[in-house]
């Protein structure tokens, strides 16, 4: 499969995960390593918990 197709598929998969609210742990790890090198990244479980907490406990995030 050509590289351009792989990039498109990855981009589409990332967009789909964003739309359904699935956390992107790999992107988080890359961000922490690039921008916060002195910090220790959260474990996958802690990351998922934090994303769910952010999603459901922020003011204005509830539908009803």
């Amino acid at each position: 499969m050509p590289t351009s197709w792989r990039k498109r598929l990855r981009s589409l998969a990332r967009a789909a995960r964003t739309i359904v609210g699935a956390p992107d742990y790999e992107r988080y790890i890359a961000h922490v390593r690039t921008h916060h090198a002195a910090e220790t990244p959260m474990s996958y479980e802690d990351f998922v918990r934090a994303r769910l907490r952010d999603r459901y406990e922020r003011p204005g995030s509830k539908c009803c």
Side-chain angles (χ1 to χ4, degrees), residues 7-27:
K7 287 181 181 179
R8 288 180 186 173
L9 286 174
R10 274 192 227 120
S11 179
L12 182 61
R14 186 179 318 132
R17 283 191 299 269
T18 301
I19 290 168
V20 299
D24 193 346
Y25 186 67
E26 292 172 6
R27 190 168 63 178

Side-chain angles (χ1 to χ4, degrees), residues 34-46:
T34 303
H35 299 285
H36 310 281
E39 294 182 21
T40 302
M42 291 184 269
S43 69
Y44 179 77
E45 292 79 15
D46 290 341

